Amino acid sequence: MELIEYPDVEMMMMDLGNQLAGELKNCLLNHDWASFAVPGGTTPGPIFDVLCAADLEWDRVHVMLTDERWVPEDHERSNTRLLRERLLVERAAAAKYLPLYAKSDQPEDVLPELEAMLSPELPLSVLLLGMGADMHTASLFPGADRLADAMADDAPILMPMRAPGAPELRITLTARVLKDAMSTHIVITGAEKRAALERAQRMDPGSAPVAAVLQNAKVHWAE
Ligand SMILES: O=C(O)[C@H](O)[C@@H](O)[C@H](O)[C@H](O)COP(=O)(O)O
């Protein structure tokens, strides 16, 4: 793991947005397309604001979420809604978006279609993750009902997830998909998450799920 500290959050968001754009550009030099997975939640909006204006061939970038809340796309908690408002705009409006949500009461009903859509995108070219103070990443929450299945080496691509720490039903990329990414960045802010990151480094992924992806990750932090 490499920890990169920034003087302030605004600078971090700007710098990280530019780093991600650079990695996508490099990837497009050698590949027909780049697959790019990003988190939802409250942290990444300012990164998306930088990225969406980046001068790169967005029509060859395939964007997806690391995890989604199982709510309609116009719901205020939908991560897709965040992406449509902050990332898939301006130049990045040309990107291809692969949603993890489909209209259905539960993800179990549509898993085969969603996995068939994602399978050609793997391994992920560039992965950005968030992290909670409880050491979850994507929707791999401590104490979640199917955490052990989602952490297994032979896990499928996606896993529905119900967790005490998540207000709604989730769907998430599994740990082995995250671990296989060609480039992994984790973005965190504040003292509480920094302390959680330090704890996670000494813990088992079964109780600190983010530990599963730390080895090859660049962690970006600002107070
Ligand atoms: O849907 C989600 O909630 C995310 O994808 C999740 O994994 C997020 O990255 C962390 O919960 C951190 O969330 P914050 O950035 O809001 O603290």
Side-chain angles (χ1 to χ4, degrees):
M1 184 192 104
E2 184 186 347
L3 177 66
I4 305 166
E5 295 184 32
Y6 297 80
D8 62 56
V9 171
E10 201 186 345
M11 219 176 270
M12 173 170 79
M13 298 307 191
M14 185 82 79
D15 198 328
L16 181 51
N18 288 327
Q19 287 181 53
L20 293 167
E23 284 190 9
L24 290 169
K25 213 174 220 175
N26 275 343
C27 180
L28 292 174
L29 293 176
N30 304 310
H31 297 91
D32 292 341
W33 78 84
S35 49
F36 180 36
V38 297
T42 54
T43 305
I47 302 171
F48 298 158
D49 296 340
V50 174
L51 259 176
C52 69
D55 185 9
L56 57 98
E57 289 182 65
W58 280 104
D59 57 341
R60 296 200 286 130
V61 178
H62 300 178
V63 174
M64 66 215 72
L65 283 158
T66 58
D67 59 315
E68 178 61 291
R69 295 111 182 245
W70 206 255
V71 294
E73 289 190 3
D74 57 358
H75 193 281
E76 59 172 14
R77 300 253 324 143
S78 167
N79 284 337
T80 292
R81 178 175 165 160
L82 169 73
L83 260 55
R84 292 206 191 282
E85 287 175 358
R86 306 278 292 267
L87 178 59
L88 304 168
V89 293
E90 297 190 35
R91 285 185 167 128
K96 176 176 170 185
Y97 179 54
L98 304 167
L100 295 191
Y101 175 80
K103 268 189 201 134
S104 162
D105 289 344
Q106 47 173 23
E108 282 83 349
D109 303 336
V110 289
L111 274 180
E113 294 99 281
L114 294 177
E115 291 195 326
M117 171 189 76
L118 291 182
S119 166
E121 305 294 334
L122 304 181
L124 296 168
S125 317
V126 181
L127 168 65
L128 175 65
L129 286 163
M131 186 194 89
D134 63 356
M135 297 173 286
H136 82 266
T137 193
S139 282
L140 302 170
F141 283 85
D145 59 346
R146 303 186 63 188
L147 184 65
D149 296 339
M151 302 304 276
D153 289 342
D154 60 350
I157 296 172
L158 289 168
M159 193 67 73
M161 200 63 76
R162 294 159 181 84
E168 63 288 290
L169 174 58
R170 302 287 182 102
I171 185 166
T172 185
L173 295 175
T174 55
R176 62 121 182 138
V177 172
L178 301 178
K179 280 192 274 193
D180 278 354
M182 313 294 284
S183 165
T184 302
H185 299 266
I186 303 176
V187 58
I188 56 172
T189 58
E192 194 188 11
K193 286 190 182 182
R194 175 71 184 266
L197 173 75
E198 271 152 32
R199 271 201 316 283
Q201 287 175 271
R202 301 187 296 271
M203 288 173 70
D204 182 271
S207 33
V210 73
V213 294
L214 288 181
Q215 198 182 347
N216 297 316
K218 279 188 180 170
V219 181
H220 305 263
W221 178 83
E223 182 70 66

